[in-house]
Amino acid sequence: MTPLALLSGSPRRVAGVAGAVAAALVLLALPGLVNPYLLFQACLVMVTATAGLGLVLIMGWSGQIALSQAGFLGVGAYATTYLVAQGWAWPLAAVTAGLVAALFGVLIGLPATRLRGFYLAIATLAFAELMIRVFVEATPVTGGIAGTAVQAVVLPGIDVDGSRWYLCLAVAAVTTAVVMRIGRVGLGRRLRVVRDAEIAAPSLGVSPMRTKLLAFALSAFIGGIAGALYAQCLSYLTPEIFDMGLLIEFLVIAFLGGVGYVAGPFLGAVVVVVLRDLLQDLGSWQRLVYGLILALAIAFLPRGLASLPARLRARRPAPPAPEPPPVSGQADLTGAAR
Amino acid sequence: MWQQIISGLQAGSWYSLMALAMVLVLKATDVPNFAMAELGLFPAFCTWALIDGAHLSWWLAVPIGLLIGVALSVVVERTAIRPILAENHFATVLMTIAVFVVINAVVQLVWGSEPRKIDSPFAGSFTVAGQVVAYEQLLSIAAGLAVMAGLILFFRTPLGVRMQAIAEDRVTPRLLGVSVTTVFRTSWALAGAIATIALLLQGQASLLTDQNGSGLLIKGFVAATLGGFSSITGAFVGGLALGVAENLAGAYISTSSKTAIALLAIVVVLSIKPQGLFGRHQVREV
């Protein structure tokens, strides 16, 4: 599409495109616009949002309660750091680490194909705890309790902070594009069929088992890649980084933001990164706030911040909305039957 | 060896109690309660404060602690869980996790992270056939047995039968005049008391810290899963088996294997026999 063709669209569309271009420019120019500290916070938003996109796939769209994302992040972080220390290039190491995480995802997902929701919650929680034990014990790779230092990636001609930002931005952008694409193609519909009508799925030619396993693998892969980035942000890894506290942050990110929406994790990530910064010296207060936010979000905003525009639009009485906001994911069922 | 087994049975009794509390809530309200251990942790800390700070006698402080446990569970059920029960499972699971985080943070804020010990009148030990047995160990095992027996009897009472009916089907029992509210409240109240007993026993036999809850939570889940999550006896035996296995592994393999055993057990059992070692396969209507 040429720029001219874009401009010939409706004014609303032009405004949308212009907004997107402006946002992209601001994001690309960010290292020159803000100080390194804010840039670092922005990196954290991108990383946690990327991990959150994995949760959109597994929890939002396929409806599986997976409490293992912190464990996958740990696998990705440690594996990348180890491989880079062995002389691998960072991109190759990160993708390999993602594949390792995906393998774990399939392993933990195998029982998931047979388990009712909360058994899965327990199994995935136990897996995450088990991974922490592994990080503590596997001293040759992880450095055990003492931890291991992360080699920073430096892009040619850019300083460390800028390199980290572009790395995080690129991965977040690619992941967002991939997840959005998945949401639109057959896989996204299959995921939602499994969530909303698992028993009917086979009659639509959808195998719940294969679909769930794929969701687990993809979500773990994204978690692993996010872990590789998270390692870049932390610069030093210890096992307790990936404990229950991180899981709780992810739950806040996913459910405050809105686990059914691609934009959800980004909204949630901004809130969590700001909170983390505000409350960093107040350990227990921080957890109290997270817990309360999570509880309030579940009780009063079950579809998250990302659902607010649609909700407000639905509440406004006069002009009929061009497309009614889906009340639940079930609207997609008809699409899957095609 | 015998020493390890007795210590294992003692720790196993705490796991069993926690598992029983979870099974009770699950059976009645179909909620997997990730906050169960914290619902016992807070009252256990209150009891410690009553004994250590207010110098109350153990015999007075423990009943007060149990009442706090009951009250806390009832309040949580009423304010956090019941309003969202109509939504999917997902929301209730997450809500119990949120409650877990909130209570744990409150315990940390009020009492800090330093370990405490609840003074009890059951200190001391005796020797049987060359083996030293602590009175605390007997107390833990006896309490576990008593609670299990009590629950088995309870599920035969009219209220217990109603509870099981509600777990199976939320609609039909209501048409027959069963009060869902009463059933929910009773099960959470009982579970709160049982969780408090577990944390109290652990707090007076070893140490009480803000981390006890999350430790017992996983162990309780493992025990309940081993037992199939529906069977009272299964959950009880599962807890004892886990406690003994952990202690033997800790003594004869390595200390670090002790923590891993519960987690491995849960992953393996759920992968191979998801209905648990003692559970029956549950057929659900579509």
Side-chain angles (χ1 to χ4, degrees):
Chain A
M1 206 184 283
T2 63
L4 210 66
L6 271 177
L7 289 175
S8 68
S10 70
R12 236 182 120 179
R13 195 192 159 112
V14 172
V17 170
V21 170
L25 285 177
V26 167
L27 288 176
L28 283 172
L30 203 62
L33 297 177
V34 298
N35 62 34
Y37 184 72
L38 274 179
L39 190 63
F40 177 75
Q41 301 293 325
C43 286
L44 282 180
V45 169
M46 290 299 158
V47 175
T48 41
T50 304
L53 285 172
L55 295 180
V56 167
L57 276 179
I58 190 79
M59 296 221 265
W61 292 350
S62 72
Q64 308 292 305
I65 307 182
L67 305 177
S68 41
Q69 196 72 340
F72 295 136
L73 237 78
V75 170
Y78 275 116
T80 313
T81 307
Y82 178 74
L83 291 175
V84 167
Q86 305 303 305
W88 290 40
W90 190 86
L92 189 61
V95 170
T96 312
L99 290 174
V100 172
L103 184 68
F104 278 113
V106 171
L107 283 180
I108 193 73
L110 273 175
T113 56
R114 299 190 292 169
L115 296 179
R116 272 180 67 209
F118 72 92
Y119 280 109
L120 183 61
I122 299 161
T124 49
L125 184 66
F127 166 79
E129 292 284 316
L130 194 60
M131 286 327 290
I132 295 188
R133 298 307 312 167
V134 171
F135 299 151
V136 171
E137 297 297 328
T139 319
V141 178
T142 64
I145 296 268
T148 183
V150 181
Q151 213 175 309
V153 176
V154 184
L155 302 174
I158 308 172
D159 66 351
V160 178
D161 294 320
S163 303
R164 191 196 294 126
W165 166 248
Y166 287 118
L167 212 55
C168 293
L169 185 63
V171 173
V174 171
T175 313
T176 308
V178 169
V179 171
M180 281 175 86
R181 177 93 191 122
I182 289 176
R184 267 190 234 116
V185 297
L187 177 57
R189 288 199 212 109
R190 288 205 296 279
L191 291 175
R192 280 171 272 206
V193 168
V194 168
R195 177 188 68 188
D196 296 326
E198 178 169 351
I199 289 145
S203 63
L204 301 172
V206 175
S207 155
M209 179 169 164
R210 286 223 322 258
T211 313
K212 282 187 200 171
L213 275 185
L214 195 57
F216 262 97
L218 276 171
S219 147
F221 180 80
I222 294 174
I225 297 277
L229 287 177
Y230 199 45
Q232 285 295 317
C233 294
L234 296 169
S235 69
Y236 201 87
L237 300 177
T238 51
E240 79 273 2
I241 289 171
F242 303 99
D243 70 3
M244 196 105 169
L246 190 62
L247 161 71
I248 290 157
E249 286 192 358
F250 282 139
L251 292 180
V252 174
I253 288 167
F255 289 92
L256 178 66
V259 79
Y261 302 84
V262 173
F266 287 92
L267 295 174
V270 170
V271 173
V272 162
V273 168
V274 169
L275 276 181
R276 213 196 237 193
D277 193 44
L278 287 178
L279 306 170
Q280 56 185 345
D281 300 324
L282 310 162
S284 307
W285 283 107
Q286 188 185 23
R287 297 195 56 177
L288 184 63
V289 171
Y290 282 159
L292 288 175
I293 289 181
L294 189 56
L296 293 174
I298 297 162
F300 299 110
L301 201 60
R303 295 175 63 79
L305 288 175
S307 71
L308 276 180
R311 277 187 149 199
L312 293 176
R313 228 178 293 141
R315 199 169 286 177
R316 211 186 303 158
E323 37 184 339
V327 178
S328 77
Q330 283 174 350
D332 296 298
L333 265 179
T334 45
R338 252 181 254 142
Chain B
M1 175 87 177
W2 281 109
Q3 211 73 61
Q4 298 301 335
I5 292 180
I6 294 173
S7 311
L9 288 175
Q10 178 190 25
S13 300
W14 310 332
Y15 307 160
S16 296
L17 285 167
M18 196 48 69
L20 289 176
M22 289 178 191
V23 169
L24 185 61
V25 166
L26 189 82
K27 268 186 110 149
T29 62
D30 209 21
V31 175
N33 192 352
F34 282 78
M36 200 67 252
E38 298 319 295
L39 290 174
L41 185 69
F42 180 80
F45 264 97
C46 291
T47 312
W48 172 84
L50 286 173
I51 295 174
D52 207 67
H55 303 291
L56 250 58
S57 108
W58 184 91
W59 299 98
L60 193 57
V62 167
I64 297 177
L66 288 175
L67 281 181
I68 296 175
V70 167
L72 180 64
S73 281
V74 168
V75 168
V76 165
E77 188 271 325
R78 181 68 194 87
T79 56
I81 306 298
R82 209 186 306 157
I84 59 161
L85 263 182
E87 301 191 25
N88 52 17
H89 237 92
F90 218 105
T92 41
V93 170
L94 287 166
M95 185 57 95
T96 64
I97 295 178
V99 172
F100 163 89
V101 175
V102 169
I103 298 181
N104 191 261
V106 168
V107 167
Q108 280 175 4
L109 286 173
V110 178
W111 287 288
S113 291
E114 88 190 65
R116 326 279 179 161
K117 192 166 189 312
I118 297 172
D119 291 321
S120 84
F122 298 97
S125 59
F126 61 98
T127 312
V128 174
Q131 302 296 328
V132 182
V133 179
Y135 289 113
E136 284 291 357
Q137 295 178 319
L138 284 188
L139 180 69
S140 286
I141 297 167
L145 276 171
V147 169
M148 178 193 69
L151 278 182
I152 290 177
L153 290 178
F154 170 75
F155 274 111
R156 298 207 181 128
T157 64
L159 183 57
V161 171
R162 280 183 214 140
M163 205 174 263
Q164 282 167 294
I166 289 282
E168 279 300 317
D169 176 356
R170 297 253 172 90
V171 180
T172 321
R174 279 166 109 163
L175 300 176
L176 299 172
V178 176
S179 160
V180 180
T181 314
T182 314
V183 163
F184 279 22
R185 190 179 298 141
T186 316
S187 66
W188 278 74
L190 279 175
I194 296 171
T196 309
I197 295 174
L199 266 304
L200 281 175
L201 288 169
Q202 193 183 35
Q204 58 189 51
S206 64
L207 293 168
L208 189 64
T209 72
D210 55 327
Q211 298 302 313
N212 282 31
S214 48
L216 269 189
L217 172 76
I218 300 246
K219 304 295 168 61
F221 264 132
V222 178
T225 310
L226 288 174
F229 245 111
S230 56
S231 144
I232 298 275
T233 347
F236 186 75
V237 176
L240 293 186
L242 176 64
V244 172
E246 268 189 354
N247 262 304
L248 290 179
Y252 295 104
I253 304 173
S254 74
T255 344
S256 57
S257 70
K258 193 174 168 179
T259 39
I261 227 163
L263 304 171
L264 274 177
I266 206 166
V267 174
V268 170
V269 166
L270 286 181
S271 310
I272 296 168
K273 205 166 178 294
Q275 67 273 33
L277 300 179
F278 303 91
R280 275 166 299 133
H281 198 73
Q282 229 180 355
V283 182
R284 294 219 150 226
E285 265 181 62
V286 178

